[in-house]
Amino acid sequence: MHQSSIFHLETAIKDFDKYIIMYISSNIPKVRRNLKIHLEDECYNLVRYLYEAIYTKGNIRAKNITEMLVICSLIDHFLEQLKEDKNINKKKLENSIFKLTEIKNMTRGWKESHEQKEKKC
């Protein structure tokens, strides 16, 4: 994956993190506090593993990219649970799911690119 693509992924993840905090997490009712905490933690972990993947190489980078995909799936699960909640704006929730899908696709592309690069060596 080229540096510009990694920068685009980094920007998308940071934008997604801000969007979740502003529009989704802030509207989760106190009754579902546990879900709110886990959602925010996983968004933080997504940023964390992105930076770990950027600054590592080889098998460790592959592991961090895989962790990013796992975290995306967890966040997707949490967002699906929120679809039933009346306090969450459906349009904002759909937009966040769309942003997450873009991040997941870019991360998959990075993983495939990394795997092809490793096969050549």
Side-chain angles (χ1 to χ4, degrees):
M1 186 175 229
H2 300 297
Q3 288 291 17
S4 62
S5 300
I6 293 173
F7 178 74
H8 185 67
L9 176 60
E10 179 183 3
T11 304
I13 289 174
K14 286 179 178 180
D15 180 49
F16 175 76
D17 187 43
K18 289 177 188 175
Y19 191 87
I20 288 292
I21 291 170
M22 284 179 66
Y23 299 111
I24 306 299
S25 179
S26 61
N27 293 319
I28 297 175
K30 288 185 180 182
V31 175
R32 306 204 58 189
R33 191 178 90 200
N34 194 28
L35 181 63
K36 177 181 178 175
I37 291 168
H38 287 303
L39 178 62
E40 289 176 352
D41 283 346
E42 293 306 325
C43 288
Y44 166 78
N45 285 333
L46 185 60
V47 174
R48 177 176 175 250
Y49 280 107
L50 169 70
Y51 286 124
E52 286 188 15
I54 290 171
Y55 294 115
T56 56
K57 294 185 189 286
N59 291 338
I60 297 171
R61 176 176 281 174
K63 177 191 165 290
N64 290 327
I65 295 170
T66 302
E67 285 294 326
M68 289 173 63
L69 289 170
V70 170
I71 289 169
C72 286
S73 296
L74 275 170
I75 293 171
D76 189 39
H77 173 71
F78 296 146
L79 295 176
E80 287 293 326
Q81 287 182 351
L82 290 171
K83 279 187 175 179
E84 302 160 4
D85 201 310
K86 294 176 184 174
N87 295 331
I88 307 297
N89 182 323
K90 301 301 177 205
K91 186 94 169 163
K92 300 284 186 189
L93 187 61
E94 288 175 14
N95 196 19
S96 63
I97 291 170
F98 177 75
K99 288 174 182 274
L100 181 63
T101 303
E102 285 183 333
I103 290 169
K104 196 184 292 188
N105 290 339
M106 285 189 279
T107 306
R108 279 192 189 121
W110 190 11
K111 182 176 180 165
E112 290 171 6
S113 172
H114 179 72
E115 287 173 351
Q116 289 175 355
K117 193 183 231 183
E118 290 294 312
K119 283 182 183 178
K120 289 180 182 177
C121 293

